[in-house]
Amino acid sequence: MVSAGPADSEPPPSAWSPLRVAAYRNLWLALLVANIGTWMQTVGAQWLLIDEPNASTLVAMVQTASMLPILLLALPAGALADTFDRRHLLIAVQCFVAAVAVLLAALTAADRMPPALLLTLTFAFGVGQALTLPAWAAIIPDLVPRHYLQSASALGAISVNAARSVGPAVAGVLIARTGPALVFGLNAIAFGIFAFVLLRWRPGDARSVEVPERFTAALRAGGRYVRHSPIVQRLLLRALLFLVPGSALWALLPLVANRRLGLGSSGYGVLLAALGVGAIAGGLVLPVVRHKLSPNQFLLITGLLYGLALIVVAEVPVTWVVLLSLVPAGLAWVVVLSNVNAEIQLFLPGWVRARGLAVYQVVFAGGQAIGALVWGVVADVTGLVVTHLAAAALMVAGALTVRLWPLPDLRADDRDPVTYWPDVRLAHEPDPSVGPVLVTVVYRVRPDRKDEFVHAMEQVRASRQRTGATRWGLFHEGESPDRYVEVYQLASWDEHLRQHGGRLTRADQEAEERARALADGEPEVAHLLPASASPDSD
């Protein structure tokens, strides 16, 4: 179902509401410090390359090197975050990132930082970011009440973009006076602070880790959930349609500052600050925007607004005009991506949340990394003006597809976990690793209900495959016109037990009840195990 109008009439929580929760407030402030350090490092790395041959490509590759690890490692990072203690994982990763920043500072101060090594260490820093993002995003719903979640997403955007405003401006001044080495050193301190606050944080309720999933099984389960969730796929598509053209502005802004506007490092910092100011404003107005407009309305408006900003940057080489155009561009960036991020957090059930968010991070990073590289190469060939105009055209075209691929309406979708299947009673208890396992469910359906039943079972199929089934089929028994047999396969007995023990949501229950209401009597369920798993097979 597609949202066609504003949300309910109750006033939304303010963007600052989650800061009332002390644990979230402390971690948010520490992350803000780390984000400032990250942006200072990004500016330092880009400015080290500004005078190199093929600077357009090299400068754009800083963003690619930062984002590519997220593209490559986000899914394994999500599986780790869903399998192990997220707090411990975050602490270890922040210590690693701080060590990389120390190495960057030391080698830069010693004047031993060629472009290849700089990009390699930037990639290593990105590895730390890739491991951090799914774990951090997954703990937010555990830190704040559900009705604060969209505001918490907006606060996350405010943190990133306040850092984008402060970090580049401070970095520009420091680079102009002392060089990039000090900037890299301050980044190491920033991540040390984040690690310290994480170390002091003691979660009130330990996350349930009854029996951790095996890493490879967890990785496959996350990919399977997204593959069989059309809603997640639609949210990811909308993000990608905005990110790819939008990445041109971020990737090429150092060159716009230097070549089009004649600005130095401090001037580039001011341009980034303008984007950051707009992004902060976007975070603050997001709850109001969601209350007044439908998601698809503001998706269209923000896409057109960002496209207009790209045209201004391309056609008007006047610093104050470019500065003014960057403010609404920053606002549009945050309103779109924060909303998509919040919708994914709200939709994903807890057992797969980090892995689902990791897929979002792959799209987020991949759209920017690939986009930045492509736009950098295009700029080397055609120039900055043509490149920005092409990105603007693509942005507007993507915004206009909102009627073809609208955002889904998730307001009535209940994602709370439920346990409604009866306990399994078998003649013997198999080893959890035994597999594959077949589950058969026999329904009796009158001929006049056949079409409606088959249609209802499509939602059941999606539920089974999201929660563990690797294969699924619905068959009609030739000897009995009213007997239909559902068969689905799982990789192991453990996977099926996890379906019984927390993977199902209220929405899954409702889909199954709709199908069962069309059948006569209770379905007959059987569990088929490999013959080698029988106690009499030895």
Side-chain angles (χ1 to χ4, degrees):
M1 185 164 54
V2 176
S3 174
D8 50 59
S9 59
E10 295 181 6
S14 79
W16 306 108
S17 297
L19 296 180
R20 298 170 187 166
V21 181
Y24 178 81
R25 180 174 64 248
N26 294 337
L27 289 168
W28 183 83
L29 290 171
L31 184 62
L32 173 61
V33 173
N35 283 334
I36 290 172
T38 298
W39 275 100
M40 290 173 66
Q41 173 172 303
T42 298
V43 172
Q46 289 177 325
W47 215 255
L48 274 177
L49 298 171
I50 201 72
D51 294 322
E52 295 287 335
N54 300 316
S56 295
T57 301
L58 286 174
V59 169
M61 284 181 69
V62 170
Q63 185 170 337
T64 301
S66 298
M67 294 296 178
L68 189 59
I70 301 175
L71 182 64
L72 299 176
L73 300 177
L75 288 176
L80 288 173
D82 275 335
T83 305
F84 299 107
D85 185 283
R86 290 167 184 161
R87 172 177 167 269
H88 292 161
L89 177 63
L90 285 169
I91 291 170
V93 171
Q94 305 327 300
C95 291
F96 166 76
V97 170
V100 172
V102 168
L103 187 59
L104 268 168
L107 292 176
T108 302
D111 198 21
R112 295 185 178 276
M113 189 55 69
L117 180 57
L118 176 62
L119 292 172
T120 300
L121 291 176
T122 301
F123 182 89
F125 187 85
V127 169
Q129 296 288 86
L131 295 173
T132 296
L133 290 170
W136 169 250
I139 66 172
I140 292 175
D142 299 327
L143 286 169
V144 301
R146 183 178 176 86
H147 62 280
Y148 282 172
L149 195 54
Q150 290 171 345
S151 295
S153 179
L155 270 177
I158 289 173
S159 172
V160 170
N161 292 287
R164 185 179 282 136
S165 299
V166 174
V170 173
V173 173
L174 293 177
I175 291 169
R177 295 186 178 182
T178 66
L182 178 61
V183 167
F184 297 149
L186 291 174
N187 185 43
I189 295 172
F191 276 89
I193 292 172
F194 189 27
F196 176 73
V197 174
L198 284 165
L199 193 62
R200 288 179 56 85
W201 170 47
R202 293 292 185 270
D205 295 315
R207 187 166 61 102
S208 173
V209 285
E210 49 217 5
V211 178
E213 291 183 70
R214 295 181 179 180
F215 177 77
T216 52
L219 197 60
R220 287 194 297 267
R224 185 169 55 242
Y225 188 93
V226 173
R227 190 165 64 252
H228 295 289
S229 177
I231 289 177
V232 174
Q233 292 172 5
R234 176 62 57 82
L235 291 168
L236 296 177
L237 174 63
R238 293 310 325 177
L240 197 60
L241 288 172
F242 185 85
L243 281 165
V244 171
S247 65
L249 187 60
W250 298 101
L252 301 175
L253 196 59
L255 299 171
V256 171
N258 183 258
R259 297 180 181 179
R260 295 273 294 165
L261 303 177
L263 302 175
S265 61
S266 58
Y268 170 50
V270 172
L271 294 182
L272 279 177
L275 275 170
V277 167
I280 292 170
L284 292 174
V285 305
L286 179 59
V288 177
V289 169
R290 289 181 57 87
H291 187 61
K292 299 293 185 183
L293 300 174
S294 76
N296 295 300
Q297 286 172 336
F298 74 67
L299 201 65
L300 176 62
I301 293 169
T302 51
L304 297 176
L305 194 63
Y306 201 99
L308 180 60
L310 284 166
I311 293 172
V312 172
V313 170
E315 295 289 352
V316 186
V318 179
T319 300
W320 70 267
V321 176
V322 172
L323 278 170
L324 289 178
S325 70
L326 292 177
V327 173
L331 184 147
W333 179 272
V334 163
V335 166
V336 172
L337 298 178
S338 291
N339 182 68
V340 172
N341 182 63
E343 293 290 338
I344 291 177
Q345 285 182 324
L346 285 168
F347 179 77
L348 291 169
W351 69 271
V352 75
R353 185 182 296 136
R355 282 164 281 183
L357 288 167
V359 175
Y360 169 72
Q361 294 298 338
V362 167
V363 171
F364 182 82
Q368 290 186 83
I370 296 171
L373 183 59
V374 169
W375 295 124
V377 172
V378 171
D380 270 336
V381 175
T382 66
L384 291 172
V385 172
V386 172
T387 302
H388 280 84
L389 291 176
L394 192 59
M395 175 64 74
V396 171
L400 294 176
T401 64
V402 71
R403 294 184 64 85
L404 180 62
W405 299 309
L407 284 174
D409 182 4
L410 303 180
R411 288 172 294 175
D413 202 4
D414 189 346
R415 310 304 298 167
D416 290 334
V418 293
T419 303
Y420 62 93
W421 285 0
D423 293 336
V424 182
R425 289 182 172 84
L426 303 182
H428 73 281
E429 186 64 29
D431 186 276
S433 63
V434 164
V437 173
L438 286 178
V439 180
T440 65
V441 188
V442 179
Y443 306 86
R444 290 192 174 274
V445 181
R446 297 199 302 267
D448 59 310
R449 293 181 174 179
K450 171 201 166 186
D451 292 340
E452 192 177 357
F453 174 75
V454 171
H455 178 72
M457 286 298 291
E458 279 301 304
Q459 293 299 315
V460 176
R461 175 195 59 78
S463 170
R464 305 285 199 238
Q465 293 185 306
R466 282 195 303 268
T467 57
T470 56
R471 300 178 67 184
W472 184 92
L474 181 65
F475 302 92
H476 178 221
E477 190 174 302
E479 292 79 7
S480 302
D482 65 339
R483 284 172 62 92
Y484 288 81
V485 182
E486 176 194 7
V487 181
Y488 59 96
Q489 179 177 309
L490 303 105
S492 68
W493 182 243
D494 178 63
E495 283 287 300
H496 185 55
L497 291 180
R498 290 181 187 279
Q499 287 183 313
H500 275 267
R503 286 189 175 180
L504 299 172
T505 67
R506 187 75 63 188
D508 296 315
Q509 182 181 13
E510 290 170 356
E512 197 166 336
E513 288 175 346
R514 281 192 295 270
R516 290 190 173 195
L518 297 168
D520 295 328
E522 285 295 313
E524 303 167 15
V525 181
H527 301 85
L528 307 182
L529 306 172
S532 59
S534 169
D536 299 326
S537 62
D538 294 336

